[in-house]
Amino acid sequence: MPFSKLGLCHPIVSAIESLGYTTPTPIQLQAIPVILAGKDLIATAQTGTGKTAAFVLPILEAFNQERTLRGKRIRALILTPTRELAIQVADDVANYSKHQSLSSMAVYGGVDTEPQKQRLIEGIDILVATPGRLLDLAHQRALYFDELEVLVLDEADRMVDMGFYGDINKIIDRLPASRQNLLFSATMSDEVIDLVDGFAEDFTQGSKAHAAVEITISPQSTSAPNIDQWLITVDKDTKSALLSHLINTQKWDQALIFIEKKHAAAKLVAQLEKRGIQANAIHGDKSQAMREKILADFKTGKLKYLVATGVAARGLDIGDLSRVVNYDLPFKPEDYIHRIGRTGRAGASGEAISFVALGDFKNLCAIESRLNHVIERKDIAEFPVRKVVPVSILNHVRTSKPPQSKSAPRSKAAFNANDKATKKPPSNTPEKGPETRKNKHIWG
């Protein structure tokens, strides 16, 4: 089905087609009609599935009729967990709305507030923001929310993980009760369900019951099938030499390399450069301007090898990124999935390589259990391992039938703010169609 059949106007369809998109992804196919109908939405979808367009396009359609904005007012607010993601989403909004007379911008920390405050004076149709900077601007009376029509929480699970639960509730307290609410999350964890429950209490006004539609596109916490995953067991003291060897012998064109510590990122860059490999790093200690330049160089291909801490695990959208390297294996399976999700996006193929030392065995087992398969191992003859990493027990217990999920199906009261005792984990059913939640206390 083409985008034009989803009820989008010609200026939007033309902008999409100029970017090379012709067919909606599953999340877009299901979410766009729901949002255009004015309904609230709770969507579970992995990164790389086209979820940004799934909420941006119908907002642009709803705002297609010109309207005069009062000063310092906004019509749509998109909250994101990181500066990088805010910038990326704002870029997408600008690209999709290039044939429309709509204003948009991103506000985030790490930069001077004055230019942002000046742009807000005339009012903005679509504002993309990180929670902290948005509250800062609100406290300075640089913007008001009384004309807000749509609230989007993008990557809600990430915002909860990063400690923004309290800030989000402070923002919610400032918003008008009559608005459309859209929540997108890669996983529907207990913490995210609690977040929705808390919102439900704030959203419920009067006696009118509102229904939120729930959409689940992919199995919870699984990786894309088009990503070739493999690992190399390695001793910790030979990691950087192994990485240099792979870059040179396998002639990698580009790689996003994830590492845990900020000081280790700088050290790895220096080690690579000593071997003639130009690289750079992004982490929380670098200025926003420097991070933006490094990311821009990486996106254009000027920079081939980018070393990143978890700050870039989400929100970094490189259209043709062919390869992700877990130089340090993450502690959480969800982080592994989000990291490798930087490649193999929008149906393209990708490669994910992980370096695994003996001390990583417990984390590896947790990741393989979540994936429900053992990650392929490859040996590099030039790098024999002194400390052997055992093979996951999954290799010995797999049968023709996958193990049953321990998660019980979600009850009808899962999102009921007044019935939290009955709350159950979300369903793991893939490609789940729209499902309306008719509880009284939901996103009212």
Side-chain angles (χ1 to χ4, degrees):
M1 177 186 293
F3 281 100
S4 58
K5 297 294 185 181
L6 291 177
L8 301 174
C9 64
H10 177 71
I12 297 175
V13 174
S14 177
I16 298 168
E17 291 178 345
S18 69
L19 296 170
Y21 305 128
T22 57
T23 305
T25 65
I27 183 62
Q28 294 162 6
L29 195 62
Q30 294 189 35
I32 289 175
V34 172
I35 299 173
L36 286 176
K39 297 180 180 179
D40 292 342
L41 177 66
I42 302 167
T44 306
Q46 298 294 326
T47 55
T49 57
K51 63 179 178 57
T52 302
F55 61 77
V56 169
L57 298 182
I59 291 174
L60 296 180
E61 178 63 33
F63 291 179
N64 194 41
Q65 299 298 322
E66 290 190 20
R67 171 187 156 184
T68 302
L69 271 175
R70 292 164 61 198
K72 299 184 180 181
R73 267 64 178 186
I74 59 176
R75 299 180 67 186
L77 171 62
I78 303 171
L79 285 178
T80 68
T82 66
R83 292 174 283 189
E84 285 73 23
L85 184 55
I87 294 168
Q88 180 62 51
V89 172
D91 287 344
D92 288 340
V93 172
N95 289 330
Y96 299 149
S97 64
K98 62 183 179 181
H99 300 311
Q100 296 173 281
S101 298
L102 291 172
S103 57
S104 61
M105 67 176 291
V107 295
Y108 44 84
V111 296
D112 187 8
T113 60
E114 286 306 313
Q116 296 177 355
K117 290 165 67 175
Q118 288 300 313
R119 285 199 61 191
L120 287 166
I121 287 176
E122 298 298 323
I124 294 290
D125 289 297
I126 301 174
L127 181 68
V128 187
T130 53
R133 176 50 59 95
L134 183 72
L135 282 173
D136 186 26
L137 292 170
H139 290 153
Q140 296 182 49
R141 298 182 180 180
L143 78 165
Y144 298 93
F145 302 107
D146 53 319
E147 296 187 13
L148 185 79
E149 300 172 39
V150 183
L151 167 67
V152 182
L153 299 185
D154 190 16
E155 306 227 0
D157 52 346
R158 183 64 169 171
M159 284 197 280
V160 169
D161 288 344
M162 294 177 67
F164 289 130
Y165 189 99
D167 285 348
I168 292 172
N169 281 315
K170 291 178 183 177
I171 293 168
I172 291 297
D173 289 341
R174 293 173 172 265
L175 304 184
S178 177
R179 64 179 184 273
Q180 186 176 20
N181 307 286
L182 312 173
L183 180 145
F184 285 75
S185 185
T187 60
M188 193 57 65
S189 64
D190 288 343
E191 290 81 3
V192 176
I193 294 175
D194 285 341
L195 182 66
V196 174
D197 286 345
F199 285 0
E201 294 171 353
D202 291 326
F203 291 170
T204 304
Q205 300 291 334
S207 61
K208 184 179 178 181
H210 294 263
V213 175
E214 183 185 8
I215 293 174
T216 301
I217 290 300
S218 57
Q220 189 178 16
S221 297
T222 58
S223 56
N226 52 313
I227 300 176
D228 179 23
Q229 301 175 60
W230 53 281
L231 64 83
I232 304 173
T233 58
V234 61
D235 295 312
K236 286 187 176 182
D237 57 356
T238 60
K239 275 187 177 183
S240 65
L242 173 60
L243 179 61
S244 302
H245 175 81
L246 292 173
I247 290 173
N248 290 324
T249 60
Q250 299 194 10
K251 302 186 185 306
W252 287 353
D253 56 339
Q254 195 175 36
L256 175 59
I257 303 155
F258 283 106
I259 197 166
E260 288 297 321
K261 304 292 185 180
K262 290 180 285 189
H263 70 273
K267 180 179 178 181
L268 178 58
V269 168
Q271 290 171 328
L272 291 174
E273 290 182 344
K274 285 182 179 179
R275 301 185 182 103
I277 299 171
Q278 184 179 3
N280 212 328
I282 58 169
H283 49 70
D285 284 350
K286 292 204 171 183
S287 69
Q288 183 62 27
M290 185 176 296
R291 288 164 64 180
E292 288 180 18
K293 182 181 185 307
I294 293 171
L295 288 175
D297 288 345
F298 189 61
K299 287 183 178 183
T300 60
K302 183 178 179 180
L303 175 65
K304 290 186 176 182
Y305 310 108
L306 175 62
V307 181
T309 55
V311 70
R314 298 193 190 185
L316 181 58
D317 188 2
I318 310 299
D320 298 317
L321 180 60
S322 55
R323 186 173 295 101
V324 165
V325 179
N326 284 304
Y327 187 86
D328 290 331
L329 200 66
F331 295 105
K332 296 181 180 180
E334 291 83 0
D335 290 341
Y336 173 86
I337 291 164
H338 295 320
R339 286 183 183 187
I340 71 172
R342 298 303 94 205
T343 186
R345 299 174 72 85
S349 60
E351 184 179 32
I353 304 101
S354 298
F355 290 0
V356 181
L358 180 59
D360 300 319
F361 180 64
K362 182 178 179 180
N363 298 342
L364 174 64
C365 289
I367 291 169
E368 291 182 330
S369 293
R370 183 61 58 86
L371 296 175
N372 195 29
H373 69 79
V374 175
I375 301 173
E376 178 187 1
R377 298 188 179 207
K378 295 184 180 180
D379 296 324
I380 305 298
E382 293 85 350
F383 291 85
V385 181
R386 300 188 305 274
K387 298 180 180 180
V388 178
V389 180
V391 177
S392 170
I393 194 171
L394 280 178
N395 195 42
H396 305 292
V397 300
R398 278 188 58 85
T399 63
S400 58
K401 294 183 180 180
Q404 294 296 316
S405 171
K406 295 182 180 179
S407 298
R410 187 182 303 177
S411 69
K412 291 294 183 181
F415 290 101
N416 193 319
N418 293 334
D419 198 8
K420 293 185 180 181
T422 64
K423 185 168 56 187
K424 298 179 182 179
S427 168
N428 289 329
T429 305
E431 298 297 335
K432 185 177 179 181
E435 182 177 310
T436 302
R437 297 288 175 186
K438 296 183 179 179
N439 294 338
K440 181 177 179 180
H441 298 286
I442 180 67
W443 293 74

